[in-house]
């Protein structure tokens, strides 16, 4: 009789450890996203070149939909409350409601889609491109509305110059996440 309770206790302990590990990873990735966001090159369109697409997609590829999305939402929350975690060491509600805010909202879609079926490489990469399209669409739309430019002019200004970089970022992020995940499972950490 006591053996069954011990196994149930072990399962509960394993579940608690996994939950703690997931919470730690979410916080860690929110911090890593913040650091990668600080590395930016200003552009005339006010949308800087950053490593955000890389690290956001990596978060989804590595953590999956749920925990990747939580990490990005925590990152966005930190920025909204004023911590300087957005590109250019900016923070506050004005960034989210400004010309680059659509891209920041789009990160939620990007990370979510990058986490879909993360163990099926081809399908996962296809979903990640869908996430990237959503991210760019939201960025273009918000830029267009705030800057009073047409959709096409906004696309040319804030999306077209970044598409190749973002596609390459997705592919590299997937490769790195896949490699780490494979080694992680091999080591049984």
């Amino acid at each position: 009789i006591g053996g069954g309770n011990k196994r149930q206790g072990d399962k509960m302990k394993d579940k608690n450890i996994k939950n703690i590990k997931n919470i730690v990873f979410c916080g860690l990735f929110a911090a890593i996203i913040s650091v990668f966001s600080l590395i930016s090159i200003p552009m005339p369109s006010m949308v800087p070149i950053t490593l955000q697409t890389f690290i956001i997609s990596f978060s989804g590829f590595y953590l999956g939909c749920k925990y990747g999305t939580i990490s990005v939402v925590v990152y966005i929350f930190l920025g909204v409350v004023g911590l300087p975690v957005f590109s250019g060491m900016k923070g506050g509600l004005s960034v989210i409601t400004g010309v680059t805010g659509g891209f920041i909202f789009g990160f939620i879609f990007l990370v979510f889609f990058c986490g879909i079926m993360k163990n099926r490489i081809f399908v996962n990469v296809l979903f990640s491109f869908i996430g990237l399209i959503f991210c760019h669409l939201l960025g273009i739309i918000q830029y267009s509305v705030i800057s009073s430019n047409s959709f096409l002019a906004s696309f040319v200004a804030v999306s077209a110059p970044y598409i190749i970089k973002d596609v390459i970022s997705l592919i590299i992020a997937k490769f790195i996440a896949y490699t780490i995940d494979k080694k992680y499972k091999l080591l049984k950490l």
Side-chain angles (χ1 to χ4, degrees):
I1 295 175
N5 288 339
K6 185 174 179 350
R7 275 180 279 185
Q8 187 176 11
D10 288 344
K11 284 182 184 179
M12 186 67 117
K13 183 179 175 185
D14 290 344
K15 185 177 180 183
N16 287 340
I17 289 171
K18 186 176 180 182
N19 286 339
I20 290 168
K21 184 178 108 177
N22 289 334
I23 291 168
V24 168
F25 268 111
C26 287
L28 177 64
F29 271 77
I32 292 169
I33 293 166
S34 300
V35 170
F36 272 70
S37 297
L38 299 179
I39 304 165
S40 67
I41 300 168
M43 298 298 285
S45 67
M46 295 184 287
V47 177
I49 295 174
T50 69
L51 295 173
Q52 289 173 304
T53 304
F54 167 77
I55 196 61
I56 298 289
S57 57
F58 177 79
S59 300
F61 289 137
Y62 190 73
L63 297 177
C65 293
K66 181 178 179 182
Y67 297 110
T69 302
I70 290 170
S71 298
V72 171
V73 169
V74 168
Y75 158 73
I76 293 171
F77 176 76
L78 293 172
V80 167
V81 297
L83 292 176
V85 297
F86 297 135
S87 66
M89 291 192 73
K90 295 176 188 164
L93 196 56
S94 63
V95 178
I96 294 288
T97 59
V99 291
T100 61
F103 289 101
I104 296 170
F105 287 121
F107 291 156
I108 297 169
F109 291 94
L110 177 60
V111 72
F112 179 82
F113 278 98
C114 285
I116 293 175
M117 300 179 87
K118 71 177 199 154
N119 296 323
R120 300 202 43 210
I121 296 171
F122 182 72
V123 174
N124 180 235
V125 171
L126 285 177
F127 275 112
S128 70
F129 286 121
I130 293 169
L132 184 61
I133 290 167
F134 272 107
C135 186
H136 274 253
L137 279 175
L138 290 174
I140 294 165
I141 292 167
Q142 186 158 331
Y143 184 88
S144 176
V145 168
I146 291 175
S147 68
S148 299
N149 286 319
S150 70
F151 183 86
L152 182 59
S154 297
F155 167 76
V156 169
V158 300
S159 181
Y162 304 92
I163 291 173
I164 293 172
K165 176 202 73 81
D166 287 350
V167 168
I168 291 169
S169 294
L170 282 178
I171 293 167
I172 292 171
K174 178 59 184 175
F175 175 76
I176 293 172
Y178 177 78
T179 304
I180 291 172
D181 205 33
K182 197 173 178 182
K183 290 188 188 284
Y184 180 80
K185 286 179 183 171
L186 222 104
L187 296 173
K188 295 184 186 344
L189 293 175

